[in-house]
Amino acid sequence: MSHGDASENDDLAVCEAEREPDPSDSLRTFGAVVQALREHAGYSRVEFGEAVRFSKHTVESVELGRRMPDESFVERAEEATGNTGALRKSARHLTRGEAGLAAWFRQWANLEKVAVSLCTYECRLVPGLLQSEAYARAVFEGTVPVVPDDQLADFMAKRMERQRMLLERPTTPFSFIVEEHVFRRRFGDVEQMRKLFDHVLELSAPRNVTLQIVPLEAGLHACLDGPLQLLETPKGQRLAYSEGQQNGRLISDQKEVSLLQQRYDTLRSQALNAKDSRGLLERLRGEL
């Protein structure tokens, strides 16, 4: 079989239908490494395509992070660029982009799915896992730049999908600490506000879900640096996540995670207990 025939057949296996709809950071990074190694080896895209038995279009798509490379591409590209091991090792960490999730949040969202415990502190808005559909839509519609309608649908679908784990994982402990002013911030009409309170009360009712509210009179505290999430993996590793304007940071350094856990535990002792927190939400709902 000629290289041309192999190239044509392999491209059928990695067809245009498999083009990534929303490239992940890992795909873009892997593509940049492929391009750097290709250029260092002195190949044009056409020449490299012949060497790995894929077309230049497939090479370009991989280098731009638009396609998830299959195992044969990785192996042949590794051989063509000197068997450094860089491509084989980096390919292990490739993840597809997920529509509906910010690029900087995807890794944490995947960790959430398997976490044996999850703690969330929020001082800006109702945590995504507790948002009503109308509240989530209002949040997404208020972003700048404006989110296109098709992306808005993806964001909404993913937000509601993430919430299902509160119900589908009844033995996983979920802890939420939220500032009182978050629930006092108005959106929409009175009926939408009532539905938000009802939704939060319903999702936080199961025994494995704990919601604590930090009352306005609690004053200053140790978590004022910003929102915080903490989780434990099935292997016992503790990780943290901090988010800001257009970015998020996954924290694995155990000293830093330990410090953030101490802050969270301290705030937990200063917040209202679960029963009093539910009582406060019910009062706020009644005041509408």
Side-chain angles (χ1 to χ4, degrees):
M1 179 185 290
S2 70
H3 282 187
D5 291 334
S7 172
E8 183 178 351
N9 290 337
D10 284 336
D11 276 335
L12 290 176
V14 190
C15 62
E16 190 62 26
E18 293 183 6
R19 174 170 170 155
E20 298 299 308
D22 189 14
S24 66
D25 288 343
S26 64
L27 280 175
R28 293 190 182 97
T29 301
F30 179 84
V33 173
V34 171
Q35 181 175 352
L37 289 175
R38 170 181 64 77
E39 292 174 347
H40 181 72
Y43 288 110
S44 68
R45 278 181 177 159
V46 173
E47 293 167 339
F48 191 69
E50 292 175 351
V52 299
R53 288 176 282 172
F54 284 89
S55 75
K56 68 173 182 179
H57 303 294
T58 297
V59 173
E60 179 181 20
S61 292
V62 170
E63 290 185 350
L64 295 177
R66 293 174 180 167
R67 259 183 199 164
M68 173 73 77
D70 65 11
E71 186 176 347
S72 62
F73 182 97
V74 175
E75 285 301 315
R76 294 169 195 168
E78 183 69 71
E79 293 171 4
T81 55
N83 280 310
T84 65
L87 297 182
R88 288 193 189 97
K89 290 180 180 178
S90 58
R92 298 172 193 164
H93 303 287
L94 286 174
T95 58
R96 295 182 184 276
E98 286 192 67
L101 290 176
W104 56 85
F105 186 70
R106 289 172 187 149
Q107 188 175 6
W108 183 260
N110 287 329
L111 290 167
E112 276 186 342
K113 296 175 183 177
V114 297
V116 297
S117 68
L118 179 66
C119 298
T120 302
Y121 165 66
E122 187 52 83
C123 56
R124 307 165 304 173
L125 71 171
V126 175
L129 292 177
L130 297 178
Q131 292 176 4
S132 66
E133 188 169 344
Y135 186 95
R137 182 175 295 277
V139 170
F140 291 134
E141 289 180 341
T143 60
V144 177
V146 175
V147 177
D149 289 343
D150 58 338
Q151 289 186 29
L152 178 61
D154 288 336
F155 286 143
M156 289 296 298
K158 183 60 67 173
R159 178 62 49 86
M160 296 302 112
E161 176 189 326
R162 285 181 58 230
Q163 285 191 6
R164 289 205 298 270
M165 68 179 173
L166 294 179
L167 304 174
E168 295 173 350
R169 295 162 62 186
T171 60
T172 300
F174 295 94
S175 170
F176 297 91
I177 301 178
V178 186
E179 299 283 353
E180 178 182 344
H181 68 78
V182 166
F183 291 110
R184 289 186 175 276
R185 185 184 297 278
R186 297 297 184 94
F187 88 100
D189 56 28
V190 171
E191 186 58 28
Q192 288 177 320
M193 284 293 296
R194 286 186 180 134
K195 287 183 178 179
L196 169 64
F197 287 126
D198 290 342
H199 189 72
V200 173
L201 287 166
E202 178 183 0
L203 288 181
S204 60
R207 288 183 297 129
N208 65 308
V209 182
T210 303
L211 170 64
Q212 294 180 255
I213 297 177
V214 183
L216 294 175
E217 59 268 21
L220 304 180
H221 55 74
C223 283
L224 290 177
D225 283 351
L228 170 66
Q229 293 189 64
L230 298 151
L231 63 73
E232 183 179 351
T233 70
K235 293 183 178 180
Q237 183 181 16
R238 294 185 180 275
L239 301 169
Y241 177 76
S242 176
E243 190 171 82
Q245 297 279 348
Q246 291 296 105
N247 68 80
R249 186 166 71 100
L250 177 62
I251 303 165
S252 58
D253 179 81
Q254 290 306 293
K255 288 186 178 180
E256 188 172 357
V257 173
S258 178
L259 172 61
L260 295 174
Q261 185 70 60
Q262 290 176 43
R263 291 180 179 180
Y264 189 89
D265 291 341
T266 299
L267 183 58
R268 180 183 278 163
S269 68
Q270 297 171 325
L272 297 176
N273 62 38
K275 181 180 178 181
D276 290 342
S277 295
R278 291 184 68 83
L280 174 57
L281 280 185
E282 289 166 351
R283 287 199 303 276
L284 291 176
R285 187 191 187 285
E287 292 172 1
L288 293 172

